[in-house]
Amino acid sequence: MEYEAVIGLEVHVQLKTHSKMFCGCATAFGAEPNTLVCPVCLGYPGVLPVMNAEAVRKTILSGLMLGCEIARFSKWDRKNYFYPDMPKNYQISQYDLPLCKGGRVGKFGITRIHLEEDVAKSFHFAETSGVDFNRAGTPLMEIVSEPDMRSPEDAFAYLTALKEVLIGGGVSDCDMEKGQLRCDANVSVRPVGEKKFGEKVEIKNMNSISGVRRALAYEIQRQIAAVKRGETIVQETRRWDDDTSVTSVMRTKEHAHDYRYFPEPDLMPVEVSAAWLAEIRRAVPELPEAKRRRFVAHYGLPEYDAEVLVADASVAAYYEQAAAGSKNPKAISNWVMTELLAKFAENTIAPAQLAELVAAIDAGQISGKQGKEVFAEMFATGKNAAVIIQEKGLAQLSDAGALEGLVDQALAANPKSVADFKAGNAAAINFLKGQVIKLSKGKANPQLAGEILARKLQG
Amino acid sequence: MSLHTLTVCQLRDKIRTGEVSSREATQSLLDRIATVDGKVKAYNWLNDDDALAQADAAKKDGALAGVPVAIKDVLNVEGQPCTCASKILQGYIAPYDATAVRKLREAGAILVGRTNMDEFAMGSSTENSSWGTTRNPWDLTRIPGGSSGGSAAAVAADEAFAALGSDTGGSIRQPAALCGCVGLKPTYGRVSRYGLVAFASSLDQIGPFTKDVRDAALLLGVISGHDPMDSTSVPRAVPDYVAALERGVKGLRIGLPKEYFIPGMDREVEAAVRTAIRQWESLGAEVVEISLPHTDYAVAVYYLIATAEASANLARFDGVRYGLRVKGDDVIDTYGKTRGAGFGSEVKRRIILGTYALSAGYYDAYYLRAQKVRTLIRRDFEKAFAKCDVIVTPTTPEVAFKAGEKSGDPLKMYLSDIFTISVNLAGICGVSVPCGFAHKLPVGLQIIGKAFDEETVLRTAHAYEQATAWHKERPVL
């Protein structure tokens, strides 16, 4: 019997805000332990949470980018469980009225997006454990997918596309190594054609997108093998170990938490006004997929170029500025991809300068080869193309009158080639063209020289 | 006349004119405490040197310039212990000021000491304190009420010019009634809760204990107002409560809820309340009968909502970051041992009740149902206030009971808040003022007002107080 996997992902994303979700402490990675803390995020007696509106805004923005329905009325709930990384032993989260519902990442559906506070980070030493509360209270957005994925590759594609959207929107940097994006997976298997879902297993502790792919590949094989042996899959939570590349049981359903959710009495419900929603909607950036389509349609670029340029929002923006001032958007794309991309971070060339360089080549002022020389100089000095061409004496000889004299000289000095051409050897014109360029010390516009030669030889 | 018997307004005026210094007043108060608190046991913590140092540094122009105020042990005062009368917070020193406390400081008050209470404000007798029971100054064999029993007893015994307490189901009004002082529970959202160790977040409110209504109005004005640190505090201007006192009660409609004058109520208590009502009528107020039909459900609703919220609020006391830690074999064992040793039996009972009410499978039947009935109780008051301006009831069905009399029977104890609980559930305001004696013990009169209408409540109370002398009675110690 053939089996297929059913996968749903729960993605936690730390939002890029200056301060924490419910207090004024800074959010930063890598600070000395327990330095970015206050009575509120340490859960001291008597403190109260105050909502960070920017975090709500970024969650709504994410929802809009992902095509979600934005709740005009949302609220906060307490999720109760004891753990040392949880200052209050309850987490302020959203239970039945999340900020966003529905939505899509590519062909995969999103169930909901809600906002909550991150927990602290535990460290385990030889004899003791320690808790760093710097992370506690960081705004954390949870994006729950529909069980729409069928393979590790689907999950990989979902996460890659989701990350691209969130980074593009400035919502999060999504650096998994810094824990800014974390992913849990729910996976089950069933015979192909079966409509009912199998018992799902939750996998935790995957630290990279490729780790998610590896963990899923392992887990799907494990479940299929178990089912084929006649075993029953039980609902449980398993931990992925990236070093040994296996999942192992963390807890079973009998030990599942009863979180005893109830509405958070310390916070008012979130009411999203029409004006605020409209304001956030105006801030929605163009999504990568739409941008790629536009680059192909508007600039006439091949899909490959659009893909490469759009992959980095700042590269795409640079390209658009340069292309706006150019009659040759494809040439601009070539220059950006081949010359600029690798060292984009150190780039000093303004978009208009690149457009000017391309125009100089297109006008025949300099050759393509000379263009590279100009580009290198421009990159090093920041000077404009015209200045560099002038300083280096690179301008091509495109004056027909001056070129005619050189053509006449070349024809006079090479009677044999002239005779060859007239005898039907068309290639002889190339030799003559080379002679004209040589006489011009390389400056002759090759195309123009060719035209004059052809006219004189045929005339 | 000794300084410690003055009201806040009287003392403040003497300090302002330079007739008396804050140090003299503070010293007089400390002497009084030294004389009588061995019997009353109103305070958990005092620091004479600290209080006198504050007095010396006090400004002379604030609303409370140089006046010592006692603080219930549930409010954070930076640098002072904040134990909530619980072993689990023994030795804990508050790292910040509650907003209400900060406002007192800014008005020039001296934060003189910590008053005793039922552990985490859970109780009606102050017997649930880990640091011993406070006694009623009128009869030391009796309880002062609770949970703010220390604050009430301190004011009644002239051991405090005024005190702050907290009221979740009656914890200001009930002990004020039983000790014979004024106790005000403001509208939910009127006073910031920031720095008040939470019992039940949707019900808790900070309020003053004072010797008369004028002082209550003065203190309310100082501690009220929107606080960016408390999202449930309301951005609404703070009126001049003292100025509002003088408007009288002519034409005022006083509602008497028929459900509150119940069979089984102490006859002498009822008589005192009825006499008070006639007093208002003689001052030009009109009495109307009203109905609050869901009154019978209030206690049940309260003990579901309050315990549910408490079960989460008290989860933070786990021995990890502060307070008591009893080491166990692992972290779960440490939680169990710490909380087992740190919490008293009433606190444990309520955590268990609240945890149960929120559990999967029971939530709808208990917590959700209770919230729905809470809405009905709130509507009862809205409808009633269409017919009247204030509602008057006894604050408690009976006078102060004997220590130990109800401590073995939680249900009986819970019923001593039967007349005060609905006000918290509805989120409105209420004050208890002395209205005579029954069995030689103080009787309290409760005046309930609309949300954010403390002005009318206070002026009703003030008119009564001006016409009577009950508030001037003092216990002999």
Side-chain angles (χ1 to χ4, degrees), chain B residues 325-344:
Chain B
R325 177 189 294 179
V326 182
K327 275 201 166 181
D329 299 335
D330 55 29
V331 67
I332 299 294
D333 195 35
T334 299
Y335 288 155
K337 287 199 161 82
T338 299
R339 291 165 68 81
F343 289 139

Side-chain angles (χ1 to χ4, degrees), chain B residues 270-473:
Chain B
E270 183 171 358
V273 172
R274 298 262 182 216
T275 307
I277 291 161
R278 281 195 294 278
Q279 185 75 53
W280 271 308
E281 284 183 302
S282 73
L283 293 169
E286 179 196 339
V287 173
V288 291
E289 193 189 77
I290 55 151
S291 176
L292 298 167
H294 295 92
T295 298
D296 278 354
Y297 304 104
V299 171
V301 166
Y302 175 84
Y303 277 95
L304 286 169
I305 292 172
T307 57
E309 292 179 4
S311 73
N313 284 330
L314 270 62
R316 70 189 61 196
F317 304 103
D318 60 5
V320 172
R321 287 145 297 134
Y322 46 76
L324 180 73
R325 177 189 294 179
V326 182
K327 275 201 166 181
D329 299 335
D330 55 29
V331 67
I332 299 294
D333 195 35
T334 299
Y335 288 155
K337 287 199 161 82
T338 299
R339 291 165 68 81
F343 289 139
S345 60
E346 182 59 26
V347 172
K348 285 177 192 163
R349 178 173 12 254
R350 297 202 193 185
I351 291 172
I352 292 167
L353 275 172
T355 304
Y356 183 81
L358 291 173
S359 295
Y362 298 103
Y363 180 90
D364 289 0
Y366 295 123
Y367 184 80
L368 196 63
R369 177 71 58 88
Q371 287 291 10
K372 288 177 179 168
V373 179
R374 182 180 184 174
T375 303
L376 296 177
I377 289 170
R378 185 180 297 137
R379 283 192 198 142
D380 277 359
F381 280 100
E382 283 166 10
K383 281 180 200 156
F385 280 122
K387 291 187 196 149
C388 62
D389 303 303
V390 292
I391 295 170
V392 167
T393 77
T395 308
T396 59
E398 51 180 28
V399 291
F401 46 89
K402 293 264 186 192
E405 190 183 322
K406 296 187 182 181
S407 45
D409 188 345
L411 265 184
K412 229 172 163 183
M413 185 74 87
Y414 294 172
L415 289 174
S416 54
D417 291 331
I418 189 165
F419 293 153
T420 48
I421 275 174
S422 296
V423 171
N424 300 77
L425 290 170
I428 54 181
C429 58
V431 68
S432 179
V433 293
C435 72
F437 291 82
H439 318 286
K440 295 178 183 165
L441 291 161
V443 176
L445 188 64
Q446 179 176 227
I447 305 160
I448 301 168
K450 296 171 203 167
F452 299 100
D453 194 15
E454 284 83 357
E455 287 167 280
T456 305
V457 164
L458 288 166
R459 106 175 122 98
T460 309
H462 182 69
Y464 174 76
E465 196 181 74
Q466 291 297 297
T468 58
W470 299 118
H471 65 287
K472 290 181 179 157
E473 298 284 337

Side-chain angles (χ1 to χ4, degrees), chain A residues 42-46 78 87 89 258, chain B residues 96 195 313 315-316 318 321-322 360:
Chain A
L42 285 173
Y44 267 52
R78 291 186 183 178
N89 286 317
D258 175 0
Chain B
Y96 69 100
N313 284 330
R316 70 189 61 196
D318 60 5
R321 287 145 297 134
Y322 46 76

Side-chain angles (χ1 to χ4, degrees), chain B residues 21-24 26 49 51-60 110:
Chain B
S21 71
S22 175
R23 172 175 267 268
E24 287 168 323
T26 305
D49 295 340
L52 291 168
Q54 287 183 57
D56 288 339
K59 56 179 181 182
K60 292 177 179 58
I110 311 306

Side-chain angles (χ1 to χ4, degrees), chain B residues 108-124:
Chain B
I110 311 306
L111 306 169
V112 77
R114 315 282 303 163
T115 55
N116 197 21
M117 55 186 280
D118 286 299
E119 185 179 5
F120 285 105
M122 296 177 181
S124 308

Side-chain angles (χ1 to χ4, degrees), chain A residues 39-40 42-51 78 80 82-90 128 131 133 258 260-268, chain B residues 76 92 95-96 188 193-197 201-202 228-232 308-309 312-313 315-318 321-322 331 335 339 355 358-360 363 367:
Chain A
V40 176
L42 285 173
Y44 267 52
V47 298
L48 296 171
V50 176
M51 187 189 87
R78 291 186 183 178
N80 295 285
F82 276 77
Y83 204 74
D85 67 10
M86 185 88 101
K88 303 182 291 295
N89 286 317
Y90 63 81
T128 57
V131 190
F133 288 93
D258 175 0
R260 304 191 310 280
Y261 281 99
F262 74 100
E264 166 58 277
D266 287 333
L267 289 166
M268 304 305 282
Chain B
N76 280 267
Y92 175 76
Y96 69 100
Y188 187 79
R193 293 183 295 116
Y194 186 74
L196 167 68
V197 181
S201 313
S202 73
M229 298 297 278
D230 177 2
S231 310
T232 64
E309 292 179 4
N313 284 330
R316 70 189 61 196
F317 304 103
D318 60 5
R321 287 145 297 134
Y322 46 76
V331 67
Y335 288 155
R339 291 165 68 81
T355 304
L358 291 173
S359 295
Y363 180 90
Y367 184 80

